[in-house]
Amino acid sequence: MSALSPLDRLMPRGYIRQMFCFPSTHKKISHILKAGLAGVVADVPYLLAGIVISEDRKHISLGESYQSLEDLYSEQDFSDTIDYAFIKQQHFPPSAFTVPGIIPPDTQPPFPNPAPVFRARLSLVKGGFILCVAIHHCTTDITGFGSLLKIWASHCRTGASTAAGFNPTWLNRKVLHERFNTSYRPIPASIPKLLHVKSPDDLARLPASASQPSDLTTGIFFFPQKTLLALKRTVNQHVISLDAKNWVSSGDILTALLWSAVLTAESESTSDGKDSSTIGFPVNFRSRFNPPLPPDYLGAAFIMTTATALREDLISLSSVASAPTNDEHLDSASISRLANISSIIRASLHSVDEESVRNALLYLEAASEDHPPITLGPRHDGISIVSWADQSICGLDWGDILGTCDAVRLPKLTYRRYPIVLPRVPANTDGDGEGLEVIVSFDRQIFEKFRQNWPIKQLSTLRCYS
């Protein structure tokens, strides 16, 4: 059994959970999924284990296997309740996934102890099926979750006893210990910049449904890839004109736009008198080592970082006064602001290198049991923006019987949730182009302000909301 790494133990003590929508109605759907999952368990045996939390809740570990395949996988029939063609026509609204029982058991609070590492539930609906998969966050991050789904899809596609391309090194959590052996590397004397000690403010930022407004709206916005690429060309022309060595990605630009829209929407209700705003976002560091970690490493391999920009620039970017006449021709002031904010985000991403990650891991490894609670990333102002864009789930081939999924969804949320960029949507036969979907959850008033900001109104389409 592979023990959790110090980084794994800092992950949220809950589940990464996603809903996958498939149009297949083949009678062997359940058989293929279950047989494929048996192959996944053979490759990744700790899926049968549980996450154990000590009585004082200070210590967390990966326990022994105590489950069978029957515990991991369940199914039910919602064909009289959910019509696939109808919810597809509505772009799979979050409210469609709130039917009691659609989420696997034991993956919603209060969690049992031990809490299962993995659960999956198949819901058969009229004209298709929905697969809800949940994995404990203390065993992986979103990239590792995507890798696990690739393993499952490979077994379903080929029927082979081992997933195509699977390598046992993906399971080796000791790799983070081995890279940073403290016998020849000095332990940082003070807490590294990519970590901080938890404060009451950190606890206040955690979602808590009991303290949230009752009129929350969960919405999904679609940003066409062609729009983002056109914006990227325009912004990079400005960036390169200032420094030929610099550039920004379409992901940096989308993060800047979402940051601007969120801050502007909340500015009246959360004005704190600060001249700047600081957001947090995760960075996958698998490729930043030399040699790199396996791209499909299944443990947690992300660290949080922050970016800080002037509130005036962020709010001006979303103001009506600077709104362009169309989505391809921004005025020069807007281009300059967007380029500056995107460059700040890019610089923050670049700052997460092997040295900074090494210092964080060394510190975590050496931290004493009585050390004050540590959390990932420098402190920020509460806004976090997460991207699942590279998870590559929508184009994943699950074989002739299952096919590919049409959409990745979360149920309607019962708490505030800052933007999550969902897995990239490929072009499809219905005529919809490639692009990125973004899900948010705000109280109704903030949601309306968010959707009316020009980065959202001009560059995206509101696909659905609940």
Side-chain angles (χ1 to χ4, degrees):
M1 184 68 65
S2 179
L4 298 179
S5 74
L7 189 59
D8 292 326
R9 294 196 291 268
L10 280 190
M11 294 298 106
R13 295 183 178 183
Y15 289 83
I16 307 174
R17 187 172 55 236
Q18 293 178 338
M19 307 275 194
F20 307 106
C21 306
F22 290 80
S24 175
T25 57
H26 199 284
K27 62 181 180 181
K28 288 189 175 182
I29 288 170
S30 181
H31 172 76
I32 294 295
L33 281 171
K34 196 169 183 179
L37 185 56
V40 180
V41 169
D43 291 334
V44 189
Y46 66 77
L47 295 186
L48 297 174
I51 297 297
V52 181
I53 298 177
S54 63
E55 289 188 10
D56 61 8
R57 305 196 63 80
K58 292 182 179 180
H59 306 287
I60 188 165
S61 60
L62 184 61
E64 297 297 320
S65 295
Y66 70 102
Q67 303 173 94
S68 69
L69 182 65
E70 300 299 325
D71 297 310
L72 270 57
Y73 177 88
S74 60
E75 59 184 83
Q76 57 190 355
D77 192 333
F78 284 132
S79 56
D80 292 336
T81 307
I82 302 175
D83 186 314
Y84 191 89
F86 179 72
I87 63 173
K88 181 177 181 179
Q89 185 180 31
Q90 296 182 315
H91 294 291
F92 304 100
S95 58
F97 306 97
T98 57
V99 180
I102 199 170
I103 294 173
D106 299 329
T107 64
Q108 298 183 94
F111 305 121
N113 192 14
V117 168
F118 179 92
R119 285 284 191 268
R121 170 155 285 185
L122 166 67
S123 294
L124 299 173
V125 303
K126 181 182 178 182
F129 71 90
I130 297 166
L131 180 65
C132 181
V133 182
I135 186 164
H136 204 288
H137 212 331
C138 288
T139 66
T140 195
D141 54 21
I142 196 65
T143 302
F145 184 31
S147 298
L148 194 67
L149 293 169
K150 286 194 287 185
I151 295 171
W152 195 358
S154 175
H155 281 288
C156 293
R157 186 172 62 248
T158 66
S161 58
T162 300
F166 174 75
N167 192 313
T169 61
W170 300 357
L171 308 176
N172 182 18
R173 297 174 190 274
K174 293 181 180 179
V175 66
L176 296 184
H177 301 263
E178 294 164 353
R179 294 290 181 96
F180 306 123
N181 190 322
T182 57
S183 63
Y184 63 91
R185 291 184 185 273
I187 299 170
S190 59
I191 193 163
K193 65 178 183 179
L194 292 179
L195 303 171
H196 74 266
V197 174
K198 285 184 180 179
S199 68
D201 288 343
D202 295 304
L203 297 175
R205 293 185 191 121
L206 294 176
S209 57
S211 63
Q212 298 300 322
S214 59
D215 60 346
L216 284 162
T217 299
T218 302
I220 296 176
F221 298 84
F222 176 71
F223 291 80
Q225 185 69 5
K226 63 180 182 180
T227 300
L228 293 175
L229 290 178
L231 205 52
K232 178 183 174 181
R233 287 191 294 270
T234 301
V235 171
N236 270 313
Q237 286 175 0
H238 183 83
V239 171
I240 293 170
S241 71
L242 300 177
D243 187 337
K245 295 180 181 179
N246 288 341
W247 59 277
V248 296
S249 71
S250 56
D252 301 332
I253 293 169
L254 180 57
T255 299
L257 295 171
L258 294 171
W259 182 7
S260 169
V262 168
L263 186 68
T264 303
E266 292 191 331
S267 61
E268 291 183 11
S269 60
T270 61
S271 179
D272 52 15
K274 293 181 179 179
D275 294 330
S276 62
S277 170
T278 300
I279 61 165
F281 50 94
V283 182
N284 174 9
F285 61 74
R286 287 167 175 79
S287 65
R288 302 191 180 210
F289 286 0
N290 185 21
L293 294 176
D296 291 301
Y297 170 67
L298 290 174
F302 84 84
I303 205 88
M304 294 295 291
T305 190
T306 58
T308 301
L310 292 175
R311 291 178 64 94
E312 181 182 359
D313 285 349
L314 288 158
I315 293 174
S316 294
L317 188 59
S318 282
S319 69
V320 175
S322 65
T325 56
N326 61 59
D327 58 15
E328 294 184 358
H329 297 89
L330 286 77
D331 59 71
S332 59
S334 296
I335 293 171
S336 178
R337 291 188 188 100
L338 183 54
N340 179 53
I341 298 165
S342 302
S343 296
I344 290 170
I345 293 166
R346 174 54 39 184
S348 182
L349 288 167
H350 275 311
S351 72
V352 180
D353 54 15
E354 182 167 4
E355 181 74 10
S356 61
V357 173
R358 182 198 72 181
N359 288 336
L361 296 179
L362 280 172
Y363 191 90
L364 289 174
E365 184 73 28
S368 62
E369 290 191 0
D370 59 354
H371 192 290
I374 299 171
T375 193
L376 291 178
R379 282 193 172 88
H380 58 81
D381 295 337
I383 297 175
S384 63
I385 297 177
V386 175
S387 179
W388 299 347
D390 295 331
Q391 203 182 4
S392 303
I393 298 305
C394 290
L396 189 58
D397 180 9
W398 291 70
D400 293 339
I401 289 177
L402 303 182
T404 59
C405 81
D406 283 332
V408 179
R409 287 292 181 263
L410 301 177
K412 176 178 170 61
L413 300 173
T414 57
Y415 52 87
R416 181 186 64 197
R417 175 67 246 191
Y418 289 115
I420 301 175
V421 182
L422 296 174
R424 189 176 305 280
V425 179
N428 61 38
T429 55
D430 294 333
D432 291 336
E434 182 181 358
L436 293 171
E437 293 179 317
V438 175
I439 186 169
V440 299
S441 177
F442 297 121
D443 71 69
R444 182 176 53 81
Q445 185 178 16
I446 298 298
F447 183 84
E448 288 301 321
K449 291 180 179 179
F450 176 81
R451 68 182 289 194
Q452 292 302 324
N453 284 326
W454 88 251
I456 308 302
K457 187 174 183 179
Q458 295 288 113
L459 305 177
S460 74
T461 301
L462 177 58
R463 283 200 152 171
C464 52
Y465 64 98
S466 304

